[in-house]
Amino acid sequence: AGDILADLRGAGVSRMACELIGWSKGGYGAVPTTTSPAWQLGGKNGLNALYALAESQEIPIYLQADTMTGSTAHGGYNTRKDAVREYPGIIVADSATGKRNLLSPFVVKKSLFPALDRFLEQFQLFRVSLTGWGERLHYDFNRSRPYSRTDTMEGMKDLLAEFTATHPQTAVEGNNLYAALYASQLINLPDSDSGYRMADRSIPFYQMVMHGYKPYTTVAGNTTYDLTEQKLRWAEYGAQPYFILTRERAEELQGTDYNRLFTSEYSLWKDRVVEAYQWYNETMKPVYGTPMLEHAQLEEGLVRVRYENGYTVYVNYQAEDRECDGVSVPAQSVEVVKG
């Protein structure tokens, strides 16, 4: 990770943030009851080196922590006591393998957050990204400590309020509002509708609420079928460019709990990552951190987004040049104008 960040900085990417996935002992899917770094990533010495880089280059590094699910293959929790149960007391497990469980908020409060607290006291420049907290809201029919979904939400809000009071730079994956209110950064927000028949088109309603108040990312550029179209989507939705990268080939992840990437090798994506950064920095800089006022689809594939500071962003998804409000917008391009 350090080599990739240093290489990107050398290529002119001056402002970036990094999220490390599967960084702790046991790798991706392990419950972070321990904050010992994985030996495959260099162990404690490797993490110290990365910390030194973050400090010298002023690169925020988020350590992803999934405190809401656990894997029976990795352990770190008691399935009978700590896993969420559905009625009438059946332990909740994923339907594909049966090896992953939802964990009770009681477990998070008792052991997981204290472990992260102790770690961040030692490495104060590191930050945490909480995966699942903005995506899942469940009940628990555990007889000794039952939770309704409202109970779960209130418990999560209390935990987030307590944790972010001492660690304000905490990211949340997902878009659940009760979690977003406490986050400094939102990761992996949806940029499409649910697909239900009653929906005729996607609009960035959530992004209109958040833009200018919380920075966010949507779909990773290397997980989409068309990077050019995804860049236009980032511009329309006001999202920061986002990539999920690995040093080795994505094929190396086959057979692991993170078998979800088709292409991610940094050497193959470096040029496109740098180009996306330069494009976004040059094009969208006038509206960064500014609230959205209006989003309008003028015709199929032509969108106008107005911002509070007087700038307007025109996004043309079409294969032909279009003109709108006296502004010429080239095919598959973005124009940002004042007034």
Side-chain angles (χ1 to χ4, degrees):
D3 292 341
I4 292 175
L5 294 176
D7 194 49
L8 287 173
R9 178 58 60 85
V13 181
S14 58
R15 295 186 63 186
M16 57 181 155
C18 170
E19 180 189 29
L20 287 181
I21 302 173
W23 61 276
S24 61
K25 184 179 180 180
Y28 180 80
V31 178
T33 50
T34 174
T35 49
S36 299
W39 64 265
Q40 295 91 336
L41 300 178
K44 190 172 182 178
N45 290 337
L47 197 65
N48 284 330
L50 186 61
Y51 185 84
L53 174 70
E55 187 175 31
S56 64
Q57 300 292 326
E58 298 183 346
I59 301 173
I61 295 182
Y62 292 86
L63 305 178
Q64 188 192 81
D66 185 354
T67 60
M68 294 189 68
T69 67
S71 169
T72 55
H74 295 100
Y77 66 99
N78 186 307
T79 304
R80 293 182 60 84
K81 293 181 179 180
D82 300 335
V84 168
R85 295 173 181 265
E86 60 183 337
Y87 185 81
I90 300 172
I91 294 174
V92 176
D94 73 278
S95 57
T97 66
K99 295 181 179 180
R100 293 197 67 81
N101 303 118
L102 282 174
L103 300 182
S104 165
F106 179 82
V107 181
V108 175
K109 184 175 182 179
K110 179 179 65 174
S111 59
L112 304 189
F113 266 22
L116 292 173
D117 249 331
R118 291 190 296 271
F119 176 81
L120 293 174
E121 287 177 3
Q122 182 181 0
F123 296 97
Q124 295 181 10
L125 286 182
F126 283 145
R127 305 172 181 182
V128 171
S129 64
L130 297 171
T131 183
W133 284 71
E135 300 167 315
R136 306 185 188 102
L137 182 62
H138 53 74
Y139 50 76
D140 187 358
F141 284 98
N142 188 307
R143 292 181 180 178
S144 62
R145 51 173 191 274
Y147 282 87
S148 67
R149 296 184 73 190
T150 300
D151 293 334
T152 301
M153 181 182 68
E154 293 300 327
M156 292 169 69
K157 286 168 62 177
D158 290 343
L159 286 169
L160 284 168
E162 181 179 348
F163 187 75
T164 57
T166 52
H167 310 295
Q169 298 299 319
T170 298
V172 168
E173 291 197 34
N175 59 311
N176 288 353
L177 186 59
Y178 58 83
L181 292 174
Y182 297 95
S184 62
Q185 168 89 37
L186 301 173
I187 300 174
N188 201 26
L189 298 184
D191 67 356
S192 59
D193 61 59
S194 60
Y196 293 152
R197 292 183 179 180
M198 65 181 70
D200 54 3
R201 71 167 67 103
S202 300
I203 61 171
F205 178 80
Y206 189 91
Q207 286 79 0
M208 290 183 71
V209 174
M210 289 297 176
H211 199 278
Y213 303 100
K214 306 274 185 180
Y216 53 83
T217 66
T218 55
V219 176
N222 60 304
T223 64
T224 184
Y225 67 92
D226 187 337
L227 181 57
T228 297
E229 182 170 322
Q230 187 57 49
K231 286 164 60 181
L232 300 179
R233 198 74 162 179
W234 288 337
E236 179 186 354
Y237 279 59
Q240 298 172 337
Y242 173 48
F243 293 88
I244 304 174
L245 303 174
T246 57
R247 188 178 68 176
E248 307 296 337
R249 300 180 305 162
E251 289 90 330
E252 299 295 327
L253 295 171
Q254 290 184 3
T256 71
D257 288 340
Y258 201 79
N259 183 20
R260 63 185 68 181
L261 297 177
F262 177 74
T263 173
S264 60
E265 189 176 353
Y266 172 69
S267 62
L268 300 177
W269 279 92
K270 174 186 173 180
D271 292 343
R272 283 171 283 186
V273 170
V274 173
E275 188 277 331
Y277 169 82
Q278 293 172 340
W279 164 81
Y280 189 88
N281 197 41
E282 294 169 3
T283 304
M284 301 300 292
K285 187 176 180 179
V287 298
Y288 181 78
T290 304
M292 287 185 189
L293 294 183
E294 178 195 59
H295 175 277
Q297 181 166 307
L298 306 174
E299 59 182 77
E300 189 66 33
L302 183 62
V303 173
R304 179 183 65 208
V305 185
R306 287 182 170 149
Y307 286 83
E308 189 178 73
N309 62 358
Y311 280 91
T312 301
V313 175
Y314 295 91
V315 183
N316 181 12
Y317 290 89
Q318 299 183 30
E320 300 177 351
D321 297 352
R322 307 299 297 170
E323 184 169 321
C324 176
D325 302 333
V327 178
S328 179
V329 188
Q332 294 191 312
S333 185
V334 176
E335 286 293 321
V336 180
V337 298
K338 177 74 172 179

